[in-house]
Amino acid sequence: MQNFIYDIPTKVYFGKGQIENLPKELAKFGKKVLLVYGGGSIKKMGLYDTIMELLKDFEVFEVSGIEPNPRIDSVREGAKICKDEGIDVCLAVGGGSTIDATKFMAAGTFVEHDPWLFFSEKNTTTIEKALPIVTVLTLAATGSEMDNGGVISNPITNDKLDRGANCLKPKVSFLDPTYTYTVSKYQTACGSADIMSHIFEVYFNMTPDFDMLDGFMESMLRSVMKYAPIAMNDPTNYEARANLMWASSWAINGFVVGGKKQQWSCHKLEHELSAYYDITHGLGLAILTPQWMRYCLSEKTVSKYVQFGVNVMGIDASLEPMDIANQAIDKLADFFKNTLGLASTLTEIGIDDSKFEIMARKSVKNSVVNGFIPLREADALEIFKMCK
């Protein structure tokens, strides 16, 4: 086991009606608020009007239209407003894309350079300060409401890159499962695949670590697999929405990492898919994950698949290890395709192999990603081909 520091300063208001506490929390930071949101969904569900009524004693500025794969142009717009208007606190209302964009608006407020340099030149830029960030979550998926990072896209360069810093952790997050009642079947499915992938990136790791953390991750995986189809078929089922929402936060807030040495490799591959084709992140992960698992399977790694297969997928522990491993992958692929209803190949969503080579090269940054197993360009290329 490795030494580690765990520090999550985010205060969470979980449950129905907790939004009433929003004004007192925002007031701790000031009176000028930058409200950031996506399309029209928060207006259709009445959440926008609720928030504006709660903020009647605040001076509110807005950035709307945040895309599902948030763009650097939105970050630039928000950072400029924060500077020009002397914003005190940033309020993100939406899913992970809105929260991610808001984080870098908050950080961009304190630098003179283009916010894209946070991503394109990680070795020469730092994120040392950001405006306070408060979130109201409307989609269970990315966990951005309780973590320290985000992902931003640059359509000009076809890049989708991640960055993290402690100052980007939200100060307060409001998690009311009823705000996810209007999430479509498709987005619920994609969000659930995203949650599971966050867990897989940590779970599939050969570093010896706490058994209790593996058990915690296995419990979350079972919960997502149980409640995702319930939420899809009964969208106002509070228990289902609540379990997915809380799993989303705890899958990626750092708790399950312990002291593991890790690099996320399946996510690196998917970022290239959505950078070039602007697909939903969770959909890309649902297509990639089973093939990523197949590619990483070997005599050296099979024990982890056996653990997953027996403890999560309910496979007979007396079978041969490789049989358990392959059955586990097959069962997961079947869950993504036939239970969640997501595509299982890139061909199904209109993606051919014309960009596989450049995506493979960019995913490993001309080097190696030391994830579950080390992935080099040739490995990344083969996984893309397996997904065709």
Side-chain angles (χ1 to χ4, degrees), residues 148-325:
N148 71 344
V151 184
I152 299 296
S153 296
N154 188 334
I156 303 300
T157 61
N158 289 121
D159 284 315
K160 182 178 179 180
L161 301 172
D162 61 280
R163 184 73 189 271
N166 284 335
C167 62
L168 299 180
K169 296 173 183 176
K171 301 298 184 185
V172 187
S173 285
F174 291 83
L175 276 61
D176 184 338
T178 65
Y179 294 159
T180 64
Y181 282 177
T182 58
V183 176
S184 69
K185 278 190 175 184
Y186 171 72
Q187 288 297 342
T188 299
C190 290
S192 299
D194 196 2
I195 297 168
M196 294 179 72
S197 181
H198 293 161
I199 301 169
F200 289 143
E201 295 274 22
V202 181
Y203 182 82
F204 283 94
N205 189 306
M206 303 309 292
T207 303
D209 198 32
F210 297 96
D211 179 69
M212 60 84 67
L213 289 180
D214 276 359
F216 185 76
M217 286 186 277
E218 289 162 1
S219 176
M220 284 197 292
L221 288 167
R222 291 194 298 268
S223 290
V224 174
M225 295 183 73
K226 173 182 178 179
Y227 287 108
I230 294 174
M232 290 171 65
N233 294 309
D234 181 10
T236 60
N237 186 300
Y238 186 84
E239 181 181 1
R241 293 296 191 183
N243 274 274
L244 291 177
M245 181 170 271
W246 204 220
S248 166
S249 298
W250 282 91
I252 197 175
N253 70 6
F255 175 73
V256 298
V257 174
K260 294 184 182 72
K261 294 181 178 179
Q262 56 161 1
Q263 272 190 290
W264 288 21
S265 53
C266 192
H267 268 66
K268 297 292 185 186
L269 299 173
E270 200 294 316
H271 286 172
E272 297 308 318
L273 276 177
S274 46
Y276 277 92
Y277 296 100
D278 199 27
I279 65 171
T280 303
H281 179 55
L283 172 61
L285 289 170
I287 294 171
L288 280 163
T289 298
Q291 305 309 328
W292 170 76
M293 286 185 174
R294 292 187 202 283
Y295 192 82
C296 294
L297 176 60
S298 70
E299 292 295 339
K300 292 182 178 180
T301 62
V302 68
S303 61
K304 204 66 193 181
Y305 292 82
V306 171
Q307 183 182 341
F308 168 66
V310 173
N311 295 344
V312 178
M313 308 306 287
I315 299 171
D316 185 353
S318 67
L319 298 175
E320 290 296 317
M322 278 296 177
D323 287 342
I324 295 174

Side-chain angles (χ1 to χ4, degrees), residues 77-87 105 107-115 131:
E77 178 187 356
K80 185 177 187 303
I81 293 174
C82 289
K83 290 178 181 178
D84 293 346
E85 303 298 339
I87 296 296
M105 294 174 191
T109 305
F110 295 99
V111 297
E112 296 304 320
H113 61 69
D114 181 358
L131 288 172

